[in-house]
Amino acid sequence: GTPTPNRVFGLALNISQVTTVLHKTEHDLLVANSFGILLDDARVYCLFGANGAEGVRVCTQDFTVFEVTNSSTRRASPDTARERSQSLQWRFAKASNTQGRAVLFRQKLSPSMSPDTPCVHIDLLLRSDSAATIHVNVYDMTYRYAISSCWIENLSSLMKGPSHENNRTAKDTNEGTIGVFVKIADFNVDYSSPQTFLTPSRSIVRF
């Protein structure tokens, strides 16, 4: 039935594994930066009240972000065996320049102090005044840092929709606020020197 002021409804989802691949296709480019996001043992909880959704909680036991550079974005629908063979050869040739690496993943350097604790825990709290609060807990993760990588900017640009800044009014700009709070525990930062350095080095900082 329809939620009333005194009644709320909950929805719980358990997902064993989710794999998402994101890439942005440009008409004048045949290669692009892609991202793969893997979630294992994910759980989603939603709370609905009289005004709609009031809160969402997302937890996952394992979370990995892959960055793939120079990936091919060519799409073809070959009809004959010869065309399929040529398309496959072209993809193999382009794939030789493709590079992939994990930039964020659950750490494997040492046994976890709390293996049952989700590595990523997100709480989204919604209010009736168009305000929202996001609490993010990150536990037992590793961030692999590379000087030459701009994966955060690339991923943000990819997930951003078309810009409508010119059409926004002052009222639209002031409507709704979002508070974001991030808590990090048992986190590793893994740094390796670029290949162009004469003396290779690697540093791992845990906090």
Side-chain angles (χ1 to χ4, degrees), residues 32-36 66-71 98-101:
N33 292 333
S34 303
F35 295 91
F66 288 94
E67 178 190 24
V68 180
T69 57
N70 297 326
S71 61
T98 300
Q99 298 179 350
R101 69 184 188 94

Side-chain angles (χ1 to χ4, degrees), residues 13-18 39-44 58-61:
L13 299 175
N14 292 330
I15 305 172
S16 59
Q17 188 177 74
V18 176
L39 287 78
D40 285 310
D41 193 10
R43 298 182 295 278
V44 181
V58 179
C59 306
T60 180
Q61 292 298 121

Side-chain angles (χ1 to χ4, degrees), residues 3 12 15 26 31 55 57 71 79 90 95 103 106 116 119 126 129 136 144 146 151 154 179 182 191 197 200 206:
I15 305 172
E26 300 288 351
V31 295
R57 170 172 291 181
S71 61
D79 297 324
W90 186 90
V103 295
R106 188 146 195 175
D116 295 332
C119 63
L126 304 174
D129 56 355
V136 181
R144 184 166 291 167
W151 74 273
N154 292 336
V182 180
Y191 166 78
F197 283 21
R206 182 175 176 87

Side-chain angles (χ1 to χ4, degrees), residues 184-200:
I184 298 176
D186 291 347
F187 193 83
N188 302 317
V189 177
D190 185 354
Y191 166 78
S192 297
S193 61
Q195 296 181 353
T196 55
F197 283 21
L198 297 178
T199 303

